[in-house]
Amino acid sequence: MPNSSSVSEFLVLAFADTRELQLLHFGLFLGIYLAALLGNGLILTAVACDHRLHTPMDFFLLNLALLDLGCISTTLPKAMANALWDTRVISYQECAAQVFFFLFFISAEYYTLTVMSYDHYAAICKPLHYGSLVGSRACAQMAAAAWGSGFLHAVLHTATTFSLPLCQGNAVDQFFCEISQILKLSCSDTYLREVGTHVFSVSLVFGCFLFIVLSYVQILRAVLRMPSEQGRHKAFSTCLPHLAMVSLYLSAAVFAYLKHPSISSPSLDLVVSFLYSVVPPAVNPLIYSMRNQELKDALVKLMTRCV
């Protein structure tokens, strides 16, 4: 039986069979990718250059923009190249790198969203102690913890997956290298390993989700006690973009990994994976800039200078 050493390349799933649709998908992917680069790039530039945006919330937003750029750049350029050149091939090394970097960026992004919920909690529920709870040193430590946790998560899953012998072909039923699809190609019984991997991931996701929920329960209680309607509106405006991003990220990811096998199909899996891997990095800048007036003003000022 051939093992992993004999697998030099994988075949990812194509979005279309006809040349015309492939070129159409290439144009669509290119537009989405450029929009993500522009939106996240503007946020990075605005936060770095505008002193009014040198706050803990904007610091975490800068980290989020970096992670969004990394996440979408891991999957979409290769999909665009495959559509443009009418190929499905991705090398073994490229596949392993794609698995690692995608897990790294998407895990670190989720941990950053968790840290941001703490930032919102401190700002709204502990305003008098906000400077000491979320100072510059604490922000750096929390951001480092998010990035470091994402790195360890990616190393663990990538090493576990690619240590398996592969003998069930080399066709990956996804438009990028995804762990669950690669495990299907293994020669050995991967049930226990797959269950262990999912339990570990779900435990982390659920722990972070529980922390976010508890934070927002406290935030909601504090907001409802505010005597000023203007204060309540400002608090909700601060929290809504974060809640929208968490909901968008989790709903697609949970459906992708926890849906019942009876409703699974290659086409559905393709669409769902696109929703959680490509759409959030592209729309996150729009979500945040719509509700953050200071960021919106900074972006307008930045674009005016460029024109």
Side-chain angles (χ1 to χ4, degrees), residues 153-164:
H153 189 245
V155 167
L156 173 64
H157 283 273
T158 305
T160 301
T161 301
F162 285 92
S163 65
L164 295 171

Side-chain angles (χ1 to χ4, degrees), residues 12-134:
V12 294
L13 196 64
F15 275 91
D17 297 325
T18 64
R19 188 62 183 149
E20 292 76 10
L21 285 176
Q22 287 174 343
L23 294 176
L24 179 63
H25 281 108
F26 169 77
L28 176 64
F29 296 158
L30 180 61
I32 294 173
Y33 188 57
L34 291 177
L37 291 180
L38 177 62
N40 288 290
L42 284 173
I43 286 180
L44 289 173
T45 306
V47 173
C49 298
D50 196 321
H51 70 278
R52 294 176 303 169
L53 299 179
H54 293 174
T55 65
M57 184 182 73
D58 296 308
F59 170 75
F60 292 125
L61 184 57
L62 182 144
N63 280 265
L64 205 63
L66 284 172
L67 292 167
D68 280 335
L69 285 176
C71 186
I72 198 170
S73 296
T74 301
T75 58
L76 210 52
K78 184 60 179 179
M80 288 191 295
N82 286 351
L84 182 61
W85 301 114
D86 189 18
T87 181
R88 297 171 52 199
V89 174
I90 181 171
S91 71
Y92 186 90
Q93 292 76 15
E94 285 180 310
C95 185
Q98 197 173 67
V99 166
F100 170 77
F101 283 109
F102 181 74
L103 281 175
F104 169 48
F105 288 122
I106 205 165
S107 300
E109 180 166 350
Y110 184 56
Y111 300 142
T112 301
L113 288 171
T114 305
V115 169
M116 291 174 74
S117 69
Y118 174 75
D119 172 64
H120 295 334
Y121 162 79
I124 295 172
C125 300
K126 307 285 185 181
L128 298 179
H129 304 283
Y130 181 71
S132 58
L133 291 174
V134 195

